[in-house]
Amino acid sequence: MSWKLSAVTSREAVEQALDRAEGWDEALVLAAFEVDPDEPDVWQLDAYCEEKPGAAEREAVAALFEDEVPDINSEELPDADWVSESQKGAQPIRAGRFYVHTPEHSASEEAGMTSFCIPAAQAFGTGQHATTAGCLEMLDTMHGDGVHPRSVADIGTGTGLLAFAARDLWPKARYTVSDIDPLCTEAVIDNALRNSIPLGTEPGKVAAMTAEGMDHDLLHARAPYDLLIANILAAPLVELAPDFAAALAPRGSVLLAGLLATQESTVRRAYRRHGLRLHKRIQRGDWSILWLRARYVG
């Protein structure tokens, strides 16, 4: 992505714009963030594109704002891997019993902590984002509450971090991880080797593949799952609700993240239609992390 369009406005306006972008099919990658911690109501929406944006791209971004459209500025980006650049020097994070660090930092020496080394890469899920850290906390909570899955799937796995953390908690389970992006599959394999995570289809090992949602023969073959993890976005979470419910074992658990708190009711409603109810939730900043459970049928 060599160009971006940027708009600075209120947090509410940006959140509403992201809501309207559900099902977004433009050739633009959206990102939103707080501009200054001292001004929490001022947010920026960025739209990245490969070519110099024209009128069509500007109109697409402007259409995301219902009322007053903020100024939309364009900027050519230097030739750089912006995912890696943004994560250089990222400080280690602690979430539950997990400590996540980049190769520039050392593992934790604290007793009872599990460290994972996740380098800056072209994949989401280094632990820096609130949703990933929240998922790590929720996995720890699940373990403390007596959850013991035998089969786990991580859909939209990114770096593989959440599956690695789940394996640390439940080392005898089978792990199936997938992502729509082939680069993520490569990242999972690299990170598994880096963190001494065995790859394969046997219990205790991680099987990685490229797939859209649940659309893969191995994902179907290894169902039903006692635990499904998906840290993606609200729109695909809603779309995947029937597939997740169909692939879930009785009394199984679903861990959902990547949704804003303002989108939570929509996501929960989609899963409630398929018999899944909220069991616990964590809110980290503006983001919700949901643990849903299937009703027992038998």
Side-chain angles (χ1 to χ4, degrees):
M1 297 294 177
S2 58
W3 285 81
K4 74 171 181 178
L5 293 168
S6 299
V8 177
T9 183
S10 68
R11 184 180 77 172
E12 181 181 5
V14 170
E15 289 178 346
Q16 290 175 351
L18 292 173
D19 284 341
R20 293 189 192 93
E22 290 191 15
W24 181 260
D25 60 359
E26 300 286 344
L28 299 167
V29 177
L30 298 178
F33 56 92
E34 183 182 271
V35 175
D36 185 343
D38 293 330
E39 297 184 69
D41 190 51
V42 179
W43 277 43
Q44 180 168 318
L45 178 71
D46 288 340
Y48 294 86
C49 52
E50 294 181 356
E51 305 292 338
K52 184 176 181 178
E57 288 75 21
R58 286 179 173 274
E59 290 173 4
V61 174
L64 296 174
F65 297 94
E66 186 174 31
D67 299 319
E68 183 178 350
V69 177
D71 291 337
I72 299 174
N73 301 306
S74 64
E75 176 185 356
E76 185 175 12
L77 303 174
D79 186 14
D81 180 350
W82 283 100
V83 175
S84 296
E85 290 294 323
S86 67
Q87 295 174 3
K88 279 184 178 178
Q91 295 300 306
I93 65 103
R94 174 176 175 161
R97 71 182 68 193
F98 302 110
Y99 183 85
V100 187
H101 64 96
T102 61
E104 292 77 22
H105 297 274
S106 301
S108 173
E109 297 181 358
E110 183 179 346
M113 296 295 293
T114 298
S115 295
F116 292 109
C117 180
I118 305 293
Q122 289 182 320
F124 178 80
T126 61
Q128 296 297 322
H129 195 274
T131 60
T132 307
C135 284
L136 293 172
E137 288 183 20
M138 189 66 89
L139 287 170
D140 200 6
T141 297
M142 289 179 170
H143 184 267
D145 284 2
V147 173
H148 292 290
R150 292 171 296 177
S151 186
V152 179
D154 182 8
I155 308 301
T157 190
T159 61
L161 173 60
L162 297 181
F164 300 163
R167 182 188 171 275
D168 181 72
L169 296 168
W170 303 289
K172 295 182 179 180
R174 293 190 310 175
Y175 291 89
T176 311
V177 306
S178 68
D179 202 287
I180 195 172
D181 187 347
L183 290 174
C184 293
T185 308
E186 295 175 13
V188 170
I189 294 170
D190 290 344
N191 290 330
L193 296 174
R194 183 183 297 271
N195 289 279
S196 300
I197 305 292
L199 296 166
T201 56
E202 298 88 356
K205 298 184 179 181
V206 174
M209 68 206 68
T210 302
E212 182 176 356
M214 298 292 292
D215 189 16
H216 195 283
D217 289 344
L218 186 59
L219 281 168
H220 291 293
R222 291 165 76 94
Y225 297 98
D226 302 301
L227 173 59
L228 275 165
I229 303 168
N231 180 18
I232 43 180
L233 294 169
L237 287 177
V238 169
E239 183 179 347
L240 285 166
D243 293 337
F244 283 0
L248 199 62
R251 293 179 178 168
S253 295
V254 179
L255 174 54
L256 303 179
L259 59 142
L260 290 163
T262 55
Q263 300 168 320
E264 180 179 332
S265 60
T266 300
V267 173
R268 286 172 57 180
R269 186 161 52 248
Y271 283 80
R272 193 161 52 245
R273 294 191 192 104
H274 297 279
L276 280 79
R277 297 292 187 270
L278 180 69
H279 186 68
K280 287 189 177 180
R281 68 184 295 278
I282 294 172
Q283 184 164 338
R284 270 184 163 255
D286 296 308
W287 303 89
S288 293
I289 297 90
L290 309 179
W291 173 9
L292 308 177
R293 300 202 74 167
R295 292 179 296 182
Y296 177 69
V297 178

